[in-house]
């Protein structure tokens, strides 16, 4: 069963602002960070038994 990862708008906005600030000093580092986060999210989505749903 494939799970859906749901983010509230507030963390999405925070992440976008943080990546924008980081890219001012190092565009490559911002890209690397974004790729790492997306990779971790895909792993969590694919391995739902390893990363259980939050209980709250």
């Amino acid at each position: 069963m494939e799970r859906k990862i749901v983010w509230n708008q507030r963390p999405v906005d925070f992440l976008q602002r943080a990546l924008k600030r980081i890219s001012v000093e190092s565009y490559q580092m911002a890209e690397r960070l974004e790729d790492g986060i997306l990779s971790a999210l895909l792993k969590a989505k694919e391995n739902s038994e390893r990363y259980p749903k939050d209980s709250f």
Side-chain angles (χ1 to χ4, degrees):
M1 180 175 140
E2 186 173 312
R3 290 222 173 147
K4 181 178 178 182
I5 297 176
V6 179
W7 283 34
N8 294 332
Q9 191 59 41
R10 189 174 181 183
V12 171
D13 292 342
F14 178 81
L15 180 59
Q16 288 175 339
R17 285 193 311 266
L19 288 172
K20 191 179 286 189
R21 280 194 311 266
I22 294 168
S23 70
V24 169
E25 291 188 26
S26 175
Y27 183 77
Q28 289 178 335
M29 184 58 74
E31 275 191 338
R32 229 182 283 157
L33 179 62
E34 183 177 18
D35 289 344
I37 291 170
L38 292 175
S39 175
L41 289 172
L42 286 175
K43 285 180 187 175
K45 186 176 178 180
E46 293 170 356
N47 298 311
S48 60
E49 64 280 348
R50 185 172 181 188
Y51 303 98
K53 183 178 177 182
D54 289 341
S55 60
F56 54 91

